[in-house]
């Protein structure tokens, strides 16, 4: 098939948005998944959106994505009618020719723009035939940056219509161990809170967002067009060694250096504030407010200066002064009186600020120069190259210059280059209601210097990223990547040398572990190196000119092409079906304002798809981990209804749309419950392996897991199988576990007010799970799930399904994917995972969203346990609700998570753990 080309260039941080115009008669977003995996602070996010054209004529469906500015898109694909259309990254100049040709033909020229503070936008579209489907899949990558003691991953969800199969899965894996994890943002509050589940277990954490279709219409920021808001996941890692966290793989390494147990260094800071006429009004008001907050935060051992400028300079003091109470009050009075008028003499102001710092050096302190301006130089020296040269000469690498550009009238590239020339960074301050908080937030990032003159040394390392840093601030992190010479890890020796106050420190722990991440096929560390190298080459290119500039640009381009990164030097070319229009999009720089090319379309109608934006962010502490289940797109977009074997016609609306593998549900309080089978042996009791359900302390329902006992003991050959369950606790203490022996039907969930009951039958295979789960909803609806098929009984009508379908019966929806079944009944959402053990399949139910009224009972509805450890020798005793009980230490495999990690637990009797009779959790019939 001949194909025409569509040019797409994309951009970066960890956010995504796909927008669709709400017209349900024309289209249906039947599946919308965001999967983000973070390992060693490197986040890879995949957005998969599936859309069906329900009309009797072809329609143009547009995919519109907003992603973080710091991210690089590395893959874009479309799946149409069994064909896969892959994107290819090319140099921008080659792509530009295609762009020009498309415009000359009157075809779609594409739209590119920067959106807000952290997003850039990319669009493409495709014509979809009547009653056909298209799948869009976008992948982008980003190294999360540590600020104020945490990493942040932000997810913006705005599908622009409620989606039945909507989910966000985040999996964080940090070998250093996760210190805390939190979930916040507008989508984590009130009515959507019970759609979020999270788990935290030492080195791993999982966050799931699974709102029901009804919930997507009724939350605070929701409506008939669905959700519109953010999830923000923040986390940090443990920092056990001063040398930091070093990972190696296949000849590459990445070193995260962020020592925390250091004494803060007194600082000398001079603020250079623009008070020209363009700062009049809200900007100068917010600047005054921010200055007052910043002055309050200065420590008494700090010294500071304050300069305002327009055509001329106005000093508060001619020299640095100590930040004592008297001086701070005087400076605040000065700040309150700042008025805006006149021109902008940036050259004279910055040189004066540098002169004050140079005139008052203090041994054992760190100096910082901060410039805030909102416009171009209009007074005094106005040639930006001369200004940059003057400033560089005055500072002479003695301290960093940080430039804050207020609004979009400022020449940001000028500020960025001047900052980079002087070991600093530039930051744009947006003209919003929180501009004063943006200013204060930036200051807080540099408020506590801990080290100066930091040099990262790697014996046996080559092709290193930046290794010299003027300062290291509390709450931040220094990251270096490189190659290991001849892949010889044994001779690879990292070392850090830095100044702390008046002391020279060397971080070179000879017993520190340089940890390998695994196999040759694991190229994440290599991609971190490539990502950092390209980022730093692009910064370096900004500072150079002539042949040097071209050489650096060429090196950055070659790496971008090799690793398929869409950067300011590259574009992504995507083939589309014959006759399609061509889109060309380029990644803008921060110094560029929104660039919008005219878009011409000759199709009759257009549909906009909205893809949630994803940002780096940490997760909440004190939770047991639940692993993200990876999702894979329906490659050919086929309708798999032909795989269903109907016994009788089900009188319900069925979409027949292929689902996506790996969906996980959400719930308000997540309890990790685990159930496991014990295979009898002769002799004494066998604690070989068990299963359990584990509950999480976020208020959501329990999650089933399989457990493995720590001691294998003999049991009578004829003894019945045992199953083990685990109940999570309120904090990070060990969960509780107990055994259930015999052929028992368990009451998993009962919600009387919605007439919902879920029961399960355990299988007879050692270490297995459930062989059958039956869901009763309302008076005449029943769904029976086993490992091979789903049987739906609605009144006298029976339908059996073995393919991947969307099944709808009243307000009950069932979505089957590769390895899981997703069931939504009213405001309750349950995911049934399908596991394989020694060739045998079994089921594992997980409550992802608990009913809003919490009037539930059953194994999945158990609340987190609360206990006190009252005795450790000669045996361990726990106190639960004023009752003491003997316990022994065991462990468990969590089958509520796809990777089924092993967790320790306190083993006790069922009655002690449940604080009720076991009979209360059983049923006579499924």
């Amino acid at each position: 098939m001949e194909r025409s080309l569509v040019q797409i260039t994309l951009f970066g941080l960890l956010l995504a948005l796909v927008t669709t115009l709400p017209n349900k008669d024309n289209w249906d977003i039947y599946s919308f998944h965001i999967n983000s995996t973070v390992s060693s602070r490197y986040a890879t996010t995949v957005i998969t959106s599936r859309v069906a054209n329900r009309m009797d004529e072809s329609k143009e469906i547009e995919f519109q994505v907003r992603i973080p500015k710091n991210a690089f898109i590395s893959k874009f694909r479309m799946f149409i009618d069994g064909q896969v259309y892959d994107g290819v990254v090319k140099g921008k100049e080659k792509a530009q020719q295609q762009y020009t040709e498309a415009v000359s033909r009157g075809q779609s020229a594409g739209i590119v723009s920067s959106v807000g503070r952290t997003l850039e936008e990319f669009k493409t579209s495709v014509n979809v035939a009547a009653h056909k489907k298209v799948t869009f899949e976008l992948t982008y990558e980003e190294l999360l940056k540590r600020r104020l003691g945490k990493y942040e991953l932000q997810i913006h969800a705005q599908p622009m219509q409620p989606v039945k199969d909507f989910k966000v899965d985040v999996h964080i894996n940090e070998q250093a161990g996760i210190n805390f994890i939190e979930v916040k943002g507008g989508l984590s509050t009130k009515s959507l809170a019970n759609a979020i589940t999270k788990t935290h277990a030492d080195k791993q954490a999982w966050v799931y967002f699974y709102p029901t279709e009804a919930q997507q219409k009724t939350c605070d920021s929701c409506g008939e067009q669905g959700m519109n808001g953010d999830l923000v996941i923040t986390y940090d890692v443990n920092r056990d060694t001063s040398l930091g966290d070093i990972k190696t793989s296949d000849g590459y390494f990445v070193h995260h250096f962020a020592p925390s147990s250091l004494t803060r260094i007194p600082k000398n800071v001079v603020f250079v504030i623009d008070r020209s006429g363009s700062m009049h009004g809200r900007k100068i008001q917010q600047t005054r407010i921010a200055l007052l907050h910043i002055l309050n935060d200065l420590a008494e051992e700090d010294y500071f200066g304050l300069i305002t400028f327009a055509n001329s300079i106005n000093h508060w003091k001619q020299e640095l002064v100590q930040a004592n109470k008297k001086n701070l009050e005087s400076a605040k009075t000065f700040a309150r009186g700042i008025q805006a008028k006149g021109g902008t003499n940036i050259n004279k102001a910055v040189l004066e600020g540098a002169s004050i710092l140079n005139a008052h050096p203090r041994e054992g302190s760190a100096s910082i120069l901060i410039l805030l301006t909102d416009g171009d130089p209009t007074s005094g020296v106005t040639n930006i190259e001369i200004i940059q040269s003057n400033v560089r000469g005055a500072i002479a690498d003695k301290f960093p210059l940080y430039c804050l550009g207020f609004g979009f009238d400022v020449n940001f590239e000028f500020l960025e280059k001047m900052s980079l020339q002087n070991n600093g960074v530039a930051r744009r301050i947006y003209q919003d209601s929180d501009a004063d908080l943006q200013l204060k937030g930036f200051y807080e990032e540099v408020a506590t210097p801990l080290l100066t003159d930091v040099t990262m040394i790697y014996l046996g390392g080559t092709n290193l990223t930046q290794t010299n840093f003027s300062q290291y601030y509390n709450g931040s992190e220094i990251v270096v990547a490189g190659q290991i010479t001849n892949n010889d890890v044994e001779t690879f020796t990292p070392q850090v040398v830095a100044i702390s106050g008046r002391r020279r420190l060397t971080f070179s722990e000879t017993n520190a572990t340089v940890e390998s991440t695994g196999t040759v096929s694991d190229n994440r560390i290599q991609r971190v190196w490539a990502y950092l190298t390209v980022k730093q080459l692009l910064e370096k290119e900004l500072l150079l000119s002539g042949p040097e500039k071209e050489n650096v640009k060429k090196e950055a381009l070659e790496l971008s092409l090799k690793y398929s990164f869409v950067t300011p030097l590259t574009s992504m070319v995507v083939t589309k079906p014959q006759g399609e229009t061509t889109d060309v999009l380029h990644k803008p720089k921060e110094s560029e304002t929104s660039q919008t090319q005219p878009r011409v379309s000759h199709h009759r109608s257009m549909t906009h798809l909205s893809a949630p934006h994803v940002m780096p962010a940490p997760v909440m502490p004190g939770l047991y981990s639940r692993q993200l289940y990876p999702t894979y797109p329906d490659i050919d977009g086929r309708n798999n209804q032909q795989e269903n074997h109907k016994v009788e016609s089900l009188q319900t609306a069925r979409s027949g749309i292929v689902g996506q593998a790996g969906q996980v549900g959400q719930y308000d309080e997540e309890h990790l419950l685990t159930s496991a089978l014990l295979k009898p042996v002769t002799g004494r009791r066998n604690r070989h392996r068990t299963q359990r359900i584990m509950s999480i302390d976020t208020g959501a329902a329990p999650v089933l897991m399989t457990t493995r006992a720590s001691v294998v003991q003999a049991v009578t050959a004829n003894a019945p199988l045992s199953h083990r369950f685990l109940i999570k606790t309120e904090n990070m203490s060990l969960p509780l576990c107990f055994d259930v022996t015999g052929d028992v039907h368990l009451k998993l969930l009962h919600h009387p007010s919605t007439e919902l009951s879920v029961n399960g039958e355990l299988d007879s295979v050692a270490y297995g799970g459930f062989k059958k789960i039956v869901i009763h909803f309302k008076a005449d609806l029943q769904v029976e799930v086993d490992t091979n098929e789903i049987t739906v009984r609605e009144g006298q009508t029976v339908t059996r399904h073995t393919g991947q379908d969307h099944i709808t019966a009243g307000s009950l929806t069932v979505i089957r994917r590769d390895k899981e079944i997703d069931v939504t009944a009213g405001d309750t959402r349950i995911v049934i995972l399908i596991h394989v053990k020694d060739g045998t399949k079994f089921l594992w139910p997980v409550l992802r969203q608990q009913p809003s009224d919490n009037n539930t009972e059953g194994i999945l509805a158990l609340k987190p346990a609360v206990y006190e450890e009252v005795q450790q020798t000669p045996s361990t005793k726990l106190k639960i609700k004023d009752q003491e009980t003997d316990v022994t230490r065991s462990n468990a495999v969590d089958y509520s998570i796809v990777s089924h990690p092993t967790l320790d637990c306190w083993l006790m009797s069922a009655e002690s753990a449940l604080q009720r009779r076991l009979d209360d959790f059983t049923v006579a019939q499924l």
Side-chain angles (χ1 to χ4, degrees):
M1 174 187 294
E2 295 182 7
R3 301 175 181 177
S4 61
L5 297 176
V6 54
Q7 166 79 31
I8 305 164
T9 304
L10 317 111
F11 7 84
L13 202 151
L14 189 48
L15 283 132
L17 175 64
V18 185
T19 327
T20 320
L21 293 179
N23 185 345
K24 266 191 142 180
D25 294 335
N26 293 346
W27 53 265
D28 178 28
I29 306 176
Y30 62 89
S31 177
F32 194 92
H33 296 174
I34 299 177
N35 288 297
S36 187
T37 302
V38 184
S39 180
S40 297
R41 290 71 134 185
Y42 194 67
T44 301
T45 300
V46 181
I47 305 167
T48 305
S49 180
R50 302 180 185 193
V51 191
N53 177 11
R54 305 298 187 197
M55 298 296 288
D56 294 328
E57 58 185 7
S58 64
K59 294 291 178 184
E60 186 176 11
I61 295 178
E62 183 172 292
F63 184 71
Q64 176 178 318
V65 178
R66 293 177 182 178
I67 69 168
K69 293 179 180 178
N70 288 333
F72 289 152
I73 288 179
S74 56
K75 183 183 292 185
F76 178 72
R77 312 168 81 187
M78 292 187 295
F79 308 93
I80 307 170
D81 229 11
Q83 290 286 332
V84 182
Y85 300 91
D86 283 300
V88 179
V89 175
K90 294 185 177 182
K92 183 167 287 187
E93 292 180 0
K94 291 184 179 179
Q96 184 66 31
Q97 182 179 354
Q98 296 171 342
Y99 170 80
T100 304
E101 292 173 355
V103 174
S104 67
R105 293 194 299 268
Q107 293 181 340
S108 165
I111 297 176
V112 182
S113 58
S114 293
V115 181
R117 305 177 188 181
T118 55
L119 297 177
E120 294 167 334
E121 186 172 88
F122 138 71
K123 287 182 184 178
T124 190
S125 62
V126 66
N127 201 40
V128 179
H131 303 290
K132 293 292 184 178
K133 302 167 189 172
V134 58
T135 295
F136 299 102
E137 181 186 281
L138 177 76
T139 303
Y140 60 94
E141 306 173 29
E142 181 199 13
L143 182 65
L144 303 186
K145 189 170 183 178
R146 188 171 186 251
R147 289 191 174 97
L148 301 176
K150 58 190 176 184
Y151 307 96
E152 188 169 280
L153 179 67
Q154 182 179 356
I155 301 173
H156 181 80
Q158 189 182 0
M160 296 304 291
Q161 75 171 50
V163 181
K164 285 185 178 180
D165 186 11
F166 178 92
K167 71 191 187 87
V168 177
D169 298 324
V170 178
H171 176 211
I172 302 171
N173 184 3
E174 297 288 358
Q175 291 303 308
I178 297 173
N179 179 265
F180 75 88
I181 182 163
E182 296 178 347
V183 182
K184 52 187 180 180
L187 295 180
S188 68
T189 59
K190 296 183 179 178
S191 57
L192 280 179
N194 69 334
I196 298 169
T197 55
K198 59 186 178 181
T199 321
H200 174 196
D202 190 18
K203 298 179 181 180
Q204 298 188 83
W206 297 264
V207 176
Y208 304 90
F209 181 51
Y210 279 57
T212 64
E213 187 177 16
Q215 214 174 9
Q216 295 170 44
K217 302 177 185 177
T218 58
C219 65
D220 291 346
S221 57
C222 302
E224 289 303 313
Q225 296 183 14
M227 296 177 298
N228 181 8
D230 294 329
L231 282 181
V232 180
I233 303 165
T234 59
Y235 77 98
D236 198 15
V237 301
N238 297 325
R239 305 185 186 278
D240 297 331
T241 64
S242 59
L243 185 59
D245 181 21
I246 303 173
K247 298 287 185 299
T248 67
S249 177
D250 192 23
Y252 289 83
F253 77 90
V254 60
H255 181 190
H256 296 267
F257 178 70
S260 56
S261 56
L262 296 172
T263 304
R264 75 181 300 275
I265 301 173
K267 65 178 177 291
N268 314 304
V269 57
V270 173
F271 302 97
V272 181
I273 306 299
D274 185 348
R275 57 173 174 83
S276 61
S278 57
M279 287 285 288
H280 180 75
R282 187 68 180 274
K283 284 195 278 189
I284 202 68
Q285 292 173 9
Q286 292 175 316
T287 299
R288 288 196 294 259
I289 293 171
L291 268 177
L292 293 174
H293 284 301
I294 289 170
L295 291 171
N296 279 331
D297 288 344
L298 289 173
E300 190 167 357
E301 61 266 29
D302 293 334
Y303 279 64
F304 72 106
L306 182 55
I307 297 173
T308 64
F309 70 95
N311 293 315
S312 59
I313 294 174
N314 188 9
H315 293 84
W316 166 62
K317 301 281 186 182
Q318 295 284 342
E319 59 184 14
L320 286 178
V321 299
Q322 187 177 4
N324 56 36
K325 185 175 182 180
K326 179 181 177 181
N327 288 333
L328 288 175
E329 288 303 318
S330 173
K332 290 176 187 177
T333 301
F334 178 83
R336 292 186 187 100
I338 298 175
Q339 300 295 324
K341 59 181 178 180
T344 309
N345 194 337
I346 292 177
N347 181 73
K348 187 174 182 180
V350 177
L351 293 182
E352 181 63 19
S355 175
I356 291 176
L357 286 172
N358 285 326
H360 299 86
R362 285 198 301 152
E363 186 181 358
S365 65
S367 295
I368 303 170
L369 183 59
I370 298 177
L371 166 68
L372 170 66
T373 182
D374 75 332
D376 292 341
T378 61
S379 177
V381 178
T382 57
N383 183 294
I384 60 176
E385 292 183 355
I386 295 176
I387 296 174
Q388 289 166 344
S389 177
N390 290 343
V391 170
R392 192 170 187 179
I395 293 177
D397 288 332
K398 293 190 289 291
F399 45 83
L401 167 65
Y402 297 103
C403 295
L404 305 180
F406 209 141
F408 282 92
D409 293 330
V410 68
N411 185 338
F412 193 82
E413 186 171 339
F414 157 59
L415 297 181
E416 184 179 28
K417 184 173 182 178
M418 190 161 64
S419 293
L420 291 172
Q421 288 174 333
N422 295 282
N423 303 304
V425 296
R427 182 81 58 85
R428 190 185 298 278
I429 303 299
Y430 292 84
Q431 287 180 249
D432 289 334
S433 59
D434 68 340
D436 56 320
L437 298 179
Q438 296 177 54
L439 290 167
K440 184 175 183 293
F442 173 81
Y443 169 76
E444 288 172 348
E445 292 181 35
V446 299
T448 311
L450 298 179
L451 296 172
T452 59
D453 300 323
V454 183
T455 302
M456 316 288 284
I457 302 168
Y458 302 93
L459 301 178
T462 185
N463 290 330
L464 305 173
T465 59
Q466 180 181 344
T467 55
N468 293 295
F469 302 87
S470 62
Q471 296 184 3
Y472 161 68
Y473 299 100
N474 187 41
S476 68
E477 182 175 62
I478 291 174
V479 183
V480 178
Q483 293 178 260
I484 300 174
T485 306
N486 299 322
N487 197 14
D488 188 355
V489 178
E490 296 299 323
T491 60
F492 175 68
T493 307
Q495 186 181 75
V496 180
V497 178
I499 304 298
S500 174
R502 293 181 172 86
R503 299 178 301 152
R504 179 182 176 88
L505 299 181
T506 300
F507 303 87
S508 58
E509 300 168 13
T510 56
N511 59 344
T513 301
V514 178
E515 182 177 357
S516 174
T517 64
T519 64
V520 173
S521 62
D522 179 10
N523 66 348
R524 284 171 300 143
I525 303 303
Q526 184 176 346
R527 296 190 72 82
V528 173
W529 169 81
Y531 175 95
L532 269 179
T533 301
V534 171
K535 284 281 187 182
Q536 292 173 8
L537 285 172
L538 292 173
E539 290 181 350
K540 188 176 180 181
E541 184 252 348
L542 182 65
L543 303 177
L544 299 174
S545 59
E548 283 184 308
K549 183 183 185 74
E550 291 305 312
N551 289 337
V552 168
K553 185 176 179 180
K554 180 182 177 182
E555 185 180 354
L557 174 60
E558 289 174 351
L559 277 177
S560 298
L561 294 173
K562 179 178 179 180
Y563 291 92
S564 295
F565 289 148
V566 179
T567 70
L569 303 178
T570 59
S571 297
M572 183 172 284
V573 179
V574 180
T575 57
K576 293 203 296 188
Q578 184 178 7
E580 288 290 306
T581 58
T582 299
D583 291 340
V584 179
L585 300 100
H586 300 296
K587 178 180 178 67
K589 298 178 181 179
E590 176 61 41
S591 56
E592 299 170 344
T593 57
S594 175
Q595 301 178 0
T596 302
Q597 309 284 356
R599 185 179 183 85
V600 182
S601 178
H602 49 260
H603 292 290
R604 284 172 290 182
S605 68
M606 184 174 293
T607 299
H608 299 269
L609 280 179
S610 164
H613 100 234
V614 181
M615 263 167 87
V619 195
M620 293 214 188
L623 303 181
Y624 271 81
S625 307
R626 192 177 58 232
Q627 178 176 5
L628 168 71
Y629 193 90
T631 62
Y632 303 94
D634 173 23
I635 299 295
D636 57 12
R638 290 176 301 168
N639 184 332
N640 284 349
Q641 289 187 21
Q642 66 269 22
E643 297 183 22
N644 303 327
H645 307 291
K646 291 189 177 181
V647 177
E648 298 177 62
S649 172
L650 174 61
Q651 303 301 317
T652 59
R654 282 183 48 208
S655 67
I657 298 171
V658 178
Q660 178 167 347
Q663 179 159 358
V664 196
Q666 307 170 330
Y667 37 34
D668 204 7
E669 306 176 323
E670 177 179 32
H671 311 331
L672 286 171
L673 255 181
T674 340
S675 165
L677 296 173
L678 292 173
K679 183 71 173 180
V681 194
T682 57
R684 291 178 260 170
R685 178 178 177 184
N686 175 8
R687 291 186 202 162
H688 176 70
R689 254 189 112 153
T690 55
Q691 298 172 327
R692 70 183 175 199
I693 305 174
M694 179 175 187
S695 81
I696 293 190
D697 62 358
T698 58
V703 178
L704 298 181
M705 331 169 118
T706 303
T707 70
R708 178 191 307 246
S710 55
V711 180
V712 179
Q713 295 180 332
V715 180
T716 307
N718 295 326
L721 289 172
S722 290
H723 302 75
R724 179 167 294 176
F725 297 84
L726 183 147
I727 308 173
K728 193 188 176 299
T729 55
E730 287 282 4
N731 48 40
M732 286 300 292
S733 55
L734 292 182
L736 309 180
C737 51
F738 60 92
D739 292 338
V740 177
T741 304
D743 185 11
V744 178
H745 292 170
L746 291 176
K747 180 197 298 182
L748 297 175
L749 186 69
H750 181 214
H751 188 224
S753 59
T754 59
E755 301 179 68
L756 173 66
S757 293
V758 183
N759 303 318
E761 180 180 357
L762 292 160
D763 62 19
S764 57
V765 179
Y767 326 136
F770 291 82
K771 66 180 180 182
K772 183 186 297 183
I773 293 174
V774 178
I775 301 164
H776 301 271
F777 191 49
K778 306 299 182 183
D780 60 349
L781 183 58
Q782 175 183 304
V783 177
E784 183 178 303
V785 178
D786 62 29
T787 58
N788 297 314
E789 67 179 11
I790 300 169
T791 303
V792 178
R793 292 181 173 86
E794 189 174 21
Q796 299 301 312
T797 303
V798 179
T799 309
R800 291 188 173 88
H801 309 264
T802 58
Q804 294 186 356
D805 311 351
H806 286 203
I807 307 164
T808 303
S811 60
L812 184 141
T813 302
V814 182
I815 301 170
R816 176 158 188 154
R817 308 186 190 92
D818 257 358
K819 298 179 180 178
E820 65 182 20
I821 297 103
D822 190 332
V823 181
T824 300
D827 61 352
T828 304
R829 195 164 173 180
I830 298 172
V831 171
I832 302 171
L833 302 177
I834 304 174
H835 290 285
V836 179
K837 173 71 175 177
D838 298 331
T840 301
K841 293 181 180 179
F842 60 89
L843 305 174
W844 211 260
V846 183
L847 182 59
R848 295 301 191 201
Q849 182 165 300
Q850 187 158 296
S852 56
D853 62 10
N854 289 324
N855 181 26
T856 55
E857 59 181 17
I859 293 292
L860 291 177
L862 289 172
K863 303 299 181 184
V866 179
Y867 68 80
E868 178 185 359
E869 196 171 325
V870 294
Q871 180 177 314
Q872 293 182 338
T873 56
S875 63
T876 303
K877 287 183 180 291
L878 301 185
K879 186 176 182 180
I880 305 174
K881 292 184 179 179
D882 298 325
Q883 294 183 357
E884 294 186 6
T885 184
D886 291 322
V887 297
T888 56
R889 189 158 179 146
S890 185
N891 52 43
V893 179
D894 181 358
Y895 274 122
S896 72
I897 298 174
V898 175
S899 63
H900 45 79
T902 300
L903 304 175
D904 290 339
C905 62
W906 291 120
L907 181 62
M908 62 180 62
S909 69
E911 287 71 18
S912 296
L914 298 171
Q915 293 292 295
R916 293 169 63 183
R917 296 183 312 128
L918 181 59
D919 290 347
D920 294 338
F921 294 90
T922 62
V923 292
Q925 295 180 341
L926 292 180

